[in-house]
Amino acid sequence: MNGRHILLLLAHMFRKMGNPIHVEDAVDFLSFRCRYGRPSDIRRMLTLALENEMVSSENGRLSSEFVYSEQELPYNLTASLGGKVSVREDVEPLV
């Protein structure tokens, strides 16, 4: 998974769920509603987004650090990602 994929997922989430969003709601949306990956993998992806300053976190809420409404989203986002989210196991999940 590269930075572009993470941005696509985050842009999709923020467009659908609003900004800011609770971490638990983000995990629920991306993992269970969109089926992009297991909750632990989604939490790891959110950790990478936080480390790379794509999002900020305060009091358990994630806020976008990019203009998510300007990202070009593919018509079928799921197919364009070609599978589920996979993040290295050494990345700690976001709590």
Side-chain angles (χ1 to χ4, degrees):
M1 165 155 268
N2 62 33
R4 181 176 185 275
H5 293 150
I6 294 173
L7 274 177
L8 288 174
L9 290 173
L10 293 174
H12 178 64
M13 178 188 71
F14 284 122
R15 283 183 184 176
K16 293 288 187 181
M17 303 294 290
N19 185 27
I21 181 172
H22 286 282
V23 171
E24 293 302 321
D25 293 337
V27 172
D28 179 66
F29 178 76
L30 293 173
S31 184
F32 298 111
R33 289 180 49 195
C34 294
R35 300 181 186 266
Y36 287 132
R38 297 178 312 188
S40 59
D41 287 332
I42 297 298
R43 288 180 183 279
R44 285 184 182 95
M45 189 237 2
L46 292 173
T47 299
L48 290 175
L50 189 62
E51 287 175 356
N52 289 293
E53 299 178 355
M54 296 175 186
V55 297
S56 59
S57 177
E58 185 177 329
N59 298 327
R61 296 173 67 90
L62 298 174
S63 297
S64 174
E65 293 297 325
F66 64 98
V67 184
Y68 56 89
S69 60
E70 300 295 319
Q71 304 301 311
E72 284 188 38
L73 297 180
Y75 178 72
N76 188 345
L77 184 60
T78 305
S80 73
L81 290 173
K84 66 178 187 172
V85 171
S86 60
V87 180
R88 297 182 329 265
E89 292 292 322
D90 62 335
V91 175
E92 289 295 319
L94 187 64
V95 195

